[in-house]
Amino acid sequence: MRDVAVIGVGLTKFGELWDKSFRQLIAEAGSKAILDAKIEGKDIDALYVGSMSSGRFVDQEHIGALVAEVSGFSQLHIPATRVEGACASGSLAIREGYLSIASGINDVVVVGGIEKMNDVGGSEATDILAAASDQEWEAFFGATFPGIYAMIATRHMHEYGTTKQQLAQVAVKNHANGVNNPYAQYQSAISLESVMKATMVAYPLGLMDCSPVSDGAASVVLCAADKAKKFTDKPVKIIGSGQASDTLALHGRRDICTLDATVHAAKMAYNQANVTPKDIDFAEVHDCFTIAEICAIEDLGFIEKGKGGTAIDNKITTMDGSLPVNTSGGLKAKGHPVGATGVAQIVELTLQLRNEAGKRQVKDARIGLAHNVGGSGATCVVHIMEGM
Ligand code: COA
């Protein structure tokens, strides 16, 4: 298997982007990544794009070929493939691109992720997202994602004594990080009190415990590591890639406070990278709801099971802590255009490892981890990256 590096990244601003079309978002993120990588169309062997539900959000399917078209590559007839795995669609697209280079089939691959979620109303967006849960056992009975994660949260509180205040502190931290990310949907600090008093969505999760409904796109250029220096002097290597699956519905799980797919995907990535959780300097984890970040830092092996809330109290995951988590603002503050999220996490890891993260730069960042979840944990993808 060959080593693979990221040689270029591009991002649109995340948010309610009424003035930009789906096509414009794809083109903007893709062209930024291509310019950053200093490649041309003739260098590209394949395109992969992650999108969860472009058909229902903007009535457009068949977006693999569309990405090639809006990028101006139609006449090059580059193989272009869409990948779907709910909110993990973006990191699945990264992994498909990664595998195609590692296998020796491709040398240079452009990966994109996109979702434009605000063209439909709030309740329709909730309904579309719920299609990634188990329709027969969850969505049909009204269990939307805020409700499903609320069940995980109340169980975590019952089993381990986790408090609503500890959940709220995750949101406060991620909004504080979002202040320093010019691409974030929310670049505003929030107080603990405002999170605690926010409108209840599904107990114990209030409005400020939830990631928002977002528009946005992200793109990265992957390249065989031994050819990367031909294009850039700052490649960042993917040293571990793991993926795992689990039941769609919560009730089929061994333990609803543990995302076993995260545990397995992380194990696969750590083994390949030959590192342990202690070697990770910073991480972008899937905080679609505040409880999800607490479960993630436990399931990734950073913190003992059940102690995630205490770790938040002890500020281990803040910018100044021993393991900064979600330096970009995470899904909570940066925004969560679902298909783009996994790709945007790789953009953040790359910027950090290139020492280009500006005011949110993690000092001496050497190894970073990205963790992306589809649904409530039926699909999980973990990537580990290191500067070259
Ligand atoms: N965090 C912070 N602020 C938020 C927010 C969030 N998650 N969601 C909305 N807001 C803000 C809006 O910007 C708006 O502010 P303004 O009045 O200053 O413009 C205000 O709150 C009301 O926004 P609105 O769009 O009316 O909220 P809503 O009640 O329709 O939606 C949620 C709120 C939490 C239900 C919605 O954001 C949501 O469904 N989030 C979860 C998305 C999800 O499930 N993703 C997949 C995860 S697996």
Side-chain angles (χ1 to χ4, degrees), residues 87 129 145 186 207-208 210-213 288-289 332 336:
C87 305
L129 289 166
F145 275 114
Y186 297 115
L207 179 78
M208 291 299 182
C210 306
S211 58
V213 171
C288 52
F289 300 94
K332 174 70 207 71
H336 184 26

Side-chain angles (χ1 to χ4, degrees), residues 80-149:
T81 308
R82 174 198 176 161
V83 182
E84 189 273 314
C87 305
S89 299
S91 55
L92 287 178
I94 296 271
R95 193 168 141 81
E96 289 308 306
Y98 166 84
L99 292 173
S100 79
I101 295 175
S103 69
I105 289 177
N106 294 320
D107 283 339
V108 176
V109 169
V110 178
V111 181
I114 175 144
E115 217 74 58
K116 192 159 194 327
M117 303 167 73
N118 283 293
D119 288 11
V120 299
S123 54
E124 196 177 344
T126 300
D127 190 50
I128 293 169
L129 289 166
S133 67
D134 189 314
Q135 279 290 350
E136 268 188 45
W137 290 103
E138 293 177 328
F140 181 78
F141 296 102
T144 58
F145 275 114
I148 289 168
Y149 276 91

Side-chain angles (χ1 to χ4, degrees), residues 30-276:
S31 56
K32 281 181 179 170
I34 285 168
L35 280 174
D36 186 40
K38 299 184 190 70
I39 58 166
E40 295 173 30
K42 65 175 173 43
D43 299 315
I44 302 170
D45 297 315
L47 294 165
Y48 290 89
V49 59
S51 183
M52 175 188 157
S53 199
S54 58
R56 291 185 68 190
F57 281 123
V58 294
D59 275 337
Q60 180 68 65
E61 304 287 14
H62 206 167
I63 65 167
L66 180 70
V67 170
E69 183 186 329
V70 300
S71 308
F73 298 146
S74 299
Q75 302 311 313
L76 295 173
H77 308 293
I78 298 168
T81 308
R82 174 198 176 161
V83 182
E84 189 273 314
C87 305
S89 299
S91 55
L92 287 178
I94 296 271
R95 193 168 141 81
E96 289 308 306
Y98 166 84
L99 292 173
S100 79
I101 295 175
S103 69
I105 289 177
N106 294 320
D107 283 339
V108 176
V109 169
V110 178
V111 181
I114 175 144
E115 217 74 58
K116 192 159 194 327
M117 303 167 73
N118 283 293
D119 288 11
V120 299
S123 54
E124 196 177 344
T126 300
D127 190 50
I128 293 169
L129 289 166
S133 67
D134 189 314
Q135 279 290 350
E136 268 188 45
W137 290 103
E138 293 177 328
F140 181 78
F141 296 102
T144 58
F145 275 114
I148 289 168
Y149 276 91
M151 287 189 252
I152 297 176
T154 46
R155 188 73 204 173
H156 207 281
M157 291 162 102
H158 172 78
E159 290 281 342
Y160 305 114
T162 304
T163 64
K164 179 161 168 51
Q165 182 157 325
Q166 289 168 339
L167 298 175
Q169 279 167 354
V170 173
V172 172
K173 169 183 73 67
N174 290 348
H175 270 258
N177 292 348
V179 168
N180 293 320
N181 184 352
Y183 292 90
Q185 181 158 354
Y186 297 115
Q187 296 169 37
S188 50
I190 52 173
S191 67
L192 186 63
E193 194 188 10
S194 70
V195 186
M196 295 293 284
K197 288 189 172 163
T199 307
M200 190 53 66
V201 176
Y203 180 83
L205 306 176
L207 179 78
M208 291 299 182
D209 288 281
C210 306
S211 58
V213 171
S214 316
D215 307 325
S219 182
V220 305
V221 180
L222 302 176
C223 180
D226 60 349
K227 297 187 165 59
K229 291 254 162 88
K230 197 173 109 189
F231 301 104
T232 177
D233 55 3
K234 47 187 181 184
V236 177
K237 206 196 280 190
I238 297 178
I239 57 173
S241 176
Q243 178 188 342
S245 61
D246 206 336
T247 60
L248 258 67
L250 274 191
H251 69 257
R253 309 264 173 90
R254 178 182 64 80
D255 163 23
I256 69 165
C257 295
T258 305
L259 271 63
D260 274 337
T262 293
V263 175
H264 283 265
K267 194 171 164 201
M268 198 186 284
Y270 287 136
N271 283 346
Q272 185 191 348
N274 199 21
V275 299
T276 71

Side-chain angles (χ1 to χ4, degrees), residues 4-9 36 220 229 232-240 273 275 279-284 319 323-324 327-328 344-358 360-370 383-388:
V4 179
V6 175
I7 60 167
V9 295
D36 186 40
V220 305
K229 291 254 162 88
T232 177
D233 55 3
K234 47 187 181 184
V236 177
K237 206 196 280 190
I238 297 178
I239 57 173
V275 299
D279 297 311
I280 304 298
D281 297 319
F282 67 100
E284 287 288 298
M319 283 303 297
L323 179 77
T327 56
S328 67
Q345 291 178 326
I346 301 298
V347 172
E348 178 69 7
L349 259 57
T350 305
L351 293 176
Q352 289 285 355
L353 294 167
R354 293 193 328 199
N355 208 17
E356 292 175 1
R360 60 183 196 283
Q361 180 64 48
V362 176
K363 202 165 162 282
D364 301 326
R366 205 175 58 81
I367 301 182
L369 178 146
H383 283 108
I384 302 173
M385 296 173 62
E386 184 177 28
M388 280 172 76

